[in-house]
Amino acid sequence: MADLKTHQEKLNTYLERFKQNSVLNHINGENRPAISGETFKNHSPVDETEICTVAKSSKADIDAAANAAKEAFPAWRDMDGAARKKILHAIADGIVARAEEIALCECWDTGQAFRFMSKAALRGAENFRFFADRAPAARDGQTLPSSTLMNFTTRVPIGPVGVITPWNTPFMLSTWKIAPALAAGCTIVHKPAELSPVTAKILLEIAEDAGLPKGVWNLVNGFGEDAGKALTEHPDIKAIAFVGESKTGSMIMKQGADTLKRVHFELGGKNPVVVFADADLDRALDAAIFMIYSLNGERCTSSSRLLIEDSVADEFLAKLKERVGKIRIGNPLDPDTELGPLISKGHFDKVSSYFDIARDEGADITCGGERHGDTGYFVRPTLFTGADNQMKIAQEEIFGPVLTAIRFKNEEEALRIANDVQYGLTGYVWTNDLTRALRFTNQLEAGMIWVNSENVRHLPTPFGGVKASGIGRDGGDWSFEFYMEQKHVGLATGMHKIPQLGA
Ligand code: NAD
C-alpha cells in the first residue's frame, strides 16, 4: 500500500490544476466563473493552507443553471432507460478509474482519513451502478382494470431538481442523490457545500466524459444564503433533495413554500447505541467505537450516545477508554491514520465548545476533551462519562469524535433515554435476547435500526430519519418515489353510460 509521502506527491499533482484555476461552475456543459466574478478561498483543514479559489455564485448563476436544466429536461426525460443505464454505468467506470484521485482530494479538502475515503469513492461508483440497473424499469407502473376503464399507471420524472449537499463525505453523498435523479430522468442543479467543493467538480467531469448530455447536470458553487436560497426558491426547480442540518432544512422548507417545492430532507442525529448486559460485549465495543470515531464523528448516523447497562458499565467503559486512547490521529493522507482534523475552524470551535459545556454540566471527560497538535483542526477522540440525558452533551448534535456515555438500569429506562431527544435517525441495539430486540426496535423512535451490528447500508433498503432527522426516504425504489410522479391513465372500454346533461 502507498505511504504518506507517495500520497502527498500524488495529491500535489491532482491539485495543481485547481491551484492554477478556480473551481468554476459548470453550466450547460461549460466551465463558467460566477457571473459577478466573485470567488472565495477554500482551505485544507489539515494544515490550513489554501487549496483553491472557488466561484461564489448568486441568484444569476442559479437562474442560468436552472434554465440549462429546464432546456435539457425533455430530451433526457425521453431518452430510453437503457441508454441512461449505459451512461450511468460509464460514470461508475469513470469513478473507479479516478478513485484514488477522488479519495486523496477528499482527504485533503475535508480532513477525512484515506482508509475511509478510498472506500467512499468506490461506494460512489456502486451507487451509480445500482441506479443504472434500475433506470430501464424506472417508469414501471401498475394495471388496475375494471369493466369500464383499463386503468394503468406510469411514473414520470418530476422535472429539473435541486441537490444541496453537506461537507461530510461529500463525494459519496452527492452520488447517492444524483445517481437516482439521473436514472429517473430528472435534470439537476447541484450546489455542493462551500467547505468541500473539489470532488463535486471531479464527479461532474467524469459524468461528461461518460457521455452525459450538456445541461443535464449543472454545478453551482457558493454559499447557502445566496446560491442555496436562490435554488430552493427557483420556480423551474420542482424538488429539492437536501442533506444537512435540521435548522437549514427548516429554512429550506420556508424558502420553498412559495413555489410549493417537494422536499426530501436528510438531517441531523443524536443516535443511541444501546448495549444490554447479555450482548456480545466485544463486538458491541468494536461497533460503538467504529460508529463514533470513524469519519471523525462527522457522520449523521454516528452513535454519539452510548447507553450502557449498569451491571456491565464499569468494565465496558474501562475497555472503551483504553481503545479510544489508542486511536491513531494524524494526516488523513496517511493510510495508517484513523482520525483526521475537523472540517473547518468554525466547526473545530463548535466541537471544542462542548468540552467546556461538559465540564460545566458536571460530566467527566474520561478521554480527550482537548485539541491535538497546534496546526490544523484536530481534536482528540473524546469520551464523556457520568452524564445524564438532560445535559446538552446528550441532547445536541456535536458532529465530532465525541461520545457521551449514559448508564441505564433496565430496558424501560434505556428506551425512555433513547427516545428522549429531538432526533430520530438511527439506533443500534445490542442484545442476545431476540424478543427484547424486537420489542425494543418496535418502540425505538428512529428511521433505521441495526441489531447487533454497526451501520451496514444495503442499497435497496430505505434510508432516512424521523422527528428532526428528516423527511422522506431514499434508497431503492424510495428514491424514484421522490424524483418521479405517478401518472394515471384510464382507457374506456365503451361499456359505461356517460351522464347526458341537456339531452
Ligand atoms: P448545513 O445545513 O450547514 O449545509 C448543508 C448544505 O446546505 C450546504 O451546501 C449549505 O451551503 C446549504 N445551505 C445552507 N443554508 C442554506 C439555505 N438557507 N438554503 C439552501 N441551502 C443552504 O450542513 P453541514 O454543516 O454542511 O452538514 C452537517 C449536517 O448534515 C449535520 O447536521 C449532519 O447530521 C447532516 N447530515 C445528515 C445526513 C443524513 O443522511 N441524515 C447525512 C449527512 C449529513
Side-chain angles (χ1 to χ4, degrees):
M1 194 195 241
D3 58 8
L4 171 60
K5 187 165 168 285
T6 318
H7 276 171
Q8 189 75 64
E9 284 166 4
K10 285 185 174 177
L11 175 75
N12 292 345
T13 319
Y14 293 136
L15 287 181
E16 194 49 40
R17 69 194 177 102
F18 292 116
K19 288 205 171 100
Q20 302 290 334
N21 299 296
S22 310
V23 174
L24 299 171
N25 294 335
H26 195 86
I27 298 173
N28 205 24
E30 285 172 13
N31 286 323
R32 298 187 195 171
I35 290 169
S36 67
E38 284 191 75
T39 57
F40 63 97
K41 296 209 180 298
N42 177 38
H43 294 91
S44 171
V46 184
D47 64 358
E48 305 171 45
T49 56
E50 184 180 320
I51 300 178
C52 54
T53 56
V54 186
K56 183 169 181 285
S57 310
S58 58
K59 183 174 178 306
D61 304 287
I62 292 290
D63 286 346
N67 192 48
K70 187 181 175 185
E71 297 273 309
F73 177 62
W76 183 246
R77 174 194 63 199
D78 296 338
M79 183 186 272
D80 190 68
R84 281 204 300 277
K85 171 179 173 174
K86 207 170 155 200
I87 293 175
L88 266 64
H89 271 298
I91 296 174
D93 293 342
I95 292 173
V96 172
R98 293 176 68 177
E100 188 185 57
E101 174 190 0
I102 293 163
L104 292 173
C105 290
E106 192 98 313
C107 291
W108 200 245
D109 203 9
T110 67
Q112 299 281 350
F114 181 79
R115 63 172 57 221
F116 303 122
M117 290 308 95
S118 51
K119 291 199 179 85
L122 294 174
R123 182 63 172 203
E126 282 171 34
N127 286 336
F128 271 95
R129 293 206 196 289
F130 179 86
F131 286 105
D133 288 339
R134 278 155 183 76
R139 305 248 163 123
D140 284 4
Q142 296 179 40
T143 52
L144 303 157
S146 76
S147 60
T148 51
L149 288 177
M150 180 52 169
N151 295 297
F152 66 88
T153 66
T154 55
R155 282 194 298 208
V156 291
I158 189 168
V161 297
V163 174
I164 302 178
T165 46
W167 47 258
N168 67 309
T169 46
F171 180 84
M172 201 283 289
L173 281 178
S174 300
T175 64
W176 184 338
K177 300 285 154 193
I178 287 168
L182 293 177
C186 294
T187 53
I188 295 169
V189 177
H190 178 205
K191 197 209 81 62
E194 54 273 26
L195 291 170
S196 57
V198 173
T199 53
K201 182 79 175 121
I202 297 174
L203 180 57
L204 187 45
E205 285 171 5
I206 290 171
E208 293 212 339
D209 289 349
L212 193 77
K214 64 180 188 175
V216 169
W217 175 352
N218 306 278
L219 178 70
V220 181
N221 287 286
F223 292 81
E225 61 266 25
D226 37 32
K229 182 168 181 286
L231 182 55
T232 59
E233 290 175 345
H234 203 286
D236 291 333
I237 297 294
K238 300 301 172 198
I240 295 287
F242 168 73
V243 187
E245 282 193 35
S246 302
K247 65 175 187 322
T248 313
S250 162
M251 267 195 284
I252 289 177
M253 205 171 228
K254 290 180 195 130
Q255 292 163 192
D258 282 349
T259 50
L260 296 174
K261 222 47 111 223
R262 179 183 289 188
V263 293
H264 177 224
F265 288 166
E266 288 177 12
L267 309 173
K270 191 73 182 176
N271 311 302
V273 52
V274 184
V275 180
F276 288 97
D278 70 352
D280 181 333
L281 295 176
D282 289 337
R283 282 174 70 82
L285 184 71
D286 287 341
I289 293 170
F290 178 73
M291 282 311 304
I292 184 65
Y293 300 111
S294 62
L295 298 175
N296 299 346
E298 296 169 313
R299 175 183 200 160
C300 55
T301 53
S302 74
S303 56
S304 47
R305 287 183 302 151
L306 166 67
L307 276 49
I308 176 80
E309 189 161 3
D310 230 351
S311 58
V312 291
D314 287 342
E315 191 187 340
F316 194 87
L317 291 173
K319 285 186 184 163
L320 183 59
K321 179 181 175 187
E322 194 190 331
R323 289 272 296 277
V324 174
K326 290 186 193 159
I327 289 174
R328 292 187 290 279
I329 313 177
N331 188 323
L333 298 175
D334 188 334
D336 275 343
T337 292
E338 294 176 321
L339 190 74
L342 299 172
I343 181 78
S344 65
K345 171 78 168 65
H347 191 55
F348 168 87
D349 289 342
K350 178 191 155 182
V351 172
S352 303
S353 75
Y354 283 94
F355 304 152
D356 288 335
I357 290 172
R359 283 184 199 99
D360 291 348
E361 290 185 315
D364 299 318
I365 301 182
T366 300
C367 299
E370 60 188 4
R371 182 173 193 166
H372 169 82
D374 47 21
T375 308
Y377 309 127
F378 294 86
V379 295
R380 301 193 70 77
T382 297
L383 172 62
F384 298 141
T385 56
D388 73 54
N389 202 52
Q390 297 317 308
M391 295 177 176
K392 284 185 182 169
I393 55 170
Q395 290 288 323
E396 296 177 5
E397 186 185 44
I398 300 174
F399 217 57
V402 180
L403 177 62
T404 301
I406 303 165
R407 293 165 182 250
F408 67 85
K409 291 197 171 52
N410 53 40
E411 184 183 324
E412 193 187 354
E413 190 185 18
L415 184 68
R416 184 179 53 71
I417 296 172
N419 285 339
D420 185 18
V421 282
Q422 62 162 324
Y423 298 106
L425 189 59
T426 61
Y428 306 88
V429 184
W430 287 85
T431 177
N432 277 326
D433 178 340
L434 178 62
T435 312
R436 169 154 66 194
L438 283 174
R439 190 168 54 230
F440 203 89
T441 55
N442 196 32
Q443 297 174 89
L444 187 58
E445 293 165 1
M448 296 167 283
I449 303 171
W450 283 265
V451 176
N452 297 334
S453 177
E454 81 282 26
N455 173 340
V456 179
R457 176 93 207 285
H458 286 168
L459 292 177
T461 59
F463 187 99
V466 299
K467 295 164 54 178
S469 289
I471 296 177
R473 295 289 178 275
D474 62 10
D477 212 43
W478 287 274
S479 297
F480 287 153
E481 290 291 318
F482 176 70
Y483 287 120
M484 303 183 90
E485 297 275 22
Q486 291 283 346
K487 181 183 279 187
H488 158 245
V489 178
L491 283 174
T493 59
M495 291 166 69
H496 72 288
K497 188 168 164 45
I498 300 177
Q500 295 174 328
L501 301 186

